[in-house]
Amino acid sequence: MSTTSLPTPDHAAELRSAMLAAGFTADGLLDLLGAPAYAALARSETVPALRATRGGGDGPLATLVRLFLLQQPVPYVHAATAMPVEAALADGWLRREGDEVHATVDVRPYGGPDGEDWFIVSDLGCAVGGAGGIGSREEGVVLGVGGASTTLAGITVRTPVGSALDVGTGSGIQALHATRHATRVTATDVNPRALGFTRLTLALSGAPEAELLTGSLFEPVGEATYDLIVSNPPFVISPGARLTYRDGGMGGDDLCRTLVQEAGARLNPGGYAQFLGNWQHVEGEDWRDRLRSWVPRGCDAWIVQRDVQDVTQYAELWLRDAGDHRTDPEEYAQRYEDWLDEFEARKTRSVGFGWITLRRTDAAEPSIVVEEWPHTVEQPLGEAVLAHFARQDYLREHDDAALLEARFVLVEEVVQEQVGSPGAEDPEHVVLRQNRGMRRATKVDTVGAGFAGVCDGSLSAGRILDAIAQLMQEDPVVLRDRTPEAIRMLVEQGFLEPVAAPGQKPAP
């Protein structure tokens, strides 16, 4: 575990003001570095940014970039023009060596969802996309912002809540987002050093303070309940708890399973719990059934598998993540063997990655949707998550007869594609495709395409089907009998939206 002391936030407000005055923001970085160098940082390549800041002279912005993002020493006199340098030295943000100063932590500008200028504070070299990427073999290292953390922030429901809990907060990214819409924010981590970084992230971002508690999973909060729980946990399935930031210390995917199963009892009625996770694909077992078994009683669930890697790809990914590929070849080979031995012992053939959302409900029959969707989506998806569960409520309350009496509209920006051989009189099939949110695509038959195309809220589903039956010279009773399943699918996937008939209460 790292024992390096952390800065204090005593003068964080002054340091923040200086950074904003210098343009040390996400937009300012793009302007200074240019798009190619800015994008290179996301690939952990720093040479273009180093060149760009050399060309930018010794101005305050270039100085701050070289100090806190690229972790290069700068002359004391240059640092003094960019920030309250003596306060930064006294608080421990900088250390001095002769005529130069060095950053003690990694500070990365981070744009909030409504244009806020935030800063994520982490260990040197551990802002993902910062100087050198991760590649750290130090057990207690605390990472900065990365793809996983921004994914979770993007899918999180952002309705105003009284209380929010960030489990395994790391450098505090999820807690920072939660301060925008939660009256009270609690952040926990098994690593006390992570809580120190969370305090710095909140202070330097000008955000309210959070309750910070040390401990594993829900142990620090006791029996407390929350309106929102989020976690980007140490979900990596590994042969040991070597690196605190990624290895949960439980066998296989037990940490993710435990987190999900215990979350239900910590949610207030109607509350949401949202996690990222890894799960095993075990020989002879359907991975969907595995995940359904995790869902606690009294909760709806929406689980989306976004990616799958075979065990060799997975082991190589995390060996590189820790820099093990740069070690002695024999040591690397032994670590690789250890990973494969672990997977073989658990009969694991591949590992899935994705999102898990729970909602506390009083429904007699909770909705549990487990699906695979590896395609591009449009972030943020918080509103799409809310809409998913609203649709589940609607479908739960409407049987087939009620669906035929209901009215629907085709949601905006859905396009129809016809697939077939050139010159053919009729298409082989029709695809409806969304251009927003989950960007789903689904095959429909001629009836389904015709039905969706005329849904404008003016006629009930049953009357539309009667008209289609007449045009196609089909038995309307038969068509009414076989179509509700297709309507239900189009509603569930968000292609059709229920609307209230005149005089009725609006549909959810």
Side-chain angles (χ1 to χ4, degrees), residues 39 64 274 289 314 349 507:
L64 292 172
Q274 298 185 265
D289 292 339
Y314 189 82
R349 297 294 173 260

Side-chain angles (χ1 to χ4, degrees), residues 5-8 11 15 67-68 74-77 79-80 83-104:
S5 60
L6 297 183
T8 68
H11 297 89
L15 187 57
L67 258 178
F68 288 112
V74 302
Y76 176 94
V77 293
M83 71 184 83
V85 67
E86 286 301 324
L89 285 165
D91 288 355
W93 296 89
L94 302 176
R95 60 180 174 82
R96 185 169 183 175
E97 293 184 6
D99 293 332
E100 293 183 326
V101 293
H102 301 248
T104 63

Side-chain angles (χ1 to χ4, degrees), residues 126-152:
C126 294
V128 181
I134 304 173
S136 175
R137 298 164 62 80
E138 194 169 355
E139 179 189 348
V141 69
V142 177
L143 303 188
V145 64
S149 51
T150 56
T151 293
L152 179 58

Side-chain angles (χ1 to χ4, degrees), residues 386-415:
L386 286 173
H388 167 88
F389 286 99
R391 293 193 297 268
Q392 297 304 313
D393 289 341
Y394 177 85
L395 293 172
R396 202 159 29 200
E397 296 165 0
H398 290 72
D399 60 16
D400 288 354
L403 284 182
L404 292 175
E405 292 299 319
R407 299 165 185 252
F408 302 94
V409 294
L410 186 67
V411 300
E412 294 182 2
E413 298 196 41
V414 171
V415 297

Side-chain angles (χ1 to χ4, degrees), residues 345-363:
R346 295 182 178 276
K347 298 183 179 179
T348 301
R349 297 294 173 260
S350 55
V351 178
F353 168 84
W355 319 325
I356 299 174
T357 299
L358 306 177
R359 182 184 63 165
R360 188 67 184 267
T361 179
D362 295 325

Side-chain angles (χ1 to χ4, degrees), residues 174-192:
Q174 309 308 322
L176 176 59
H177 277 276
T179 60
R180 295 178 58 251
H181 62 105
T183 303
R184 176 172 59 88
V185 176
T186 300
T188 71
D189 205 288
V190 71
N191 181 2

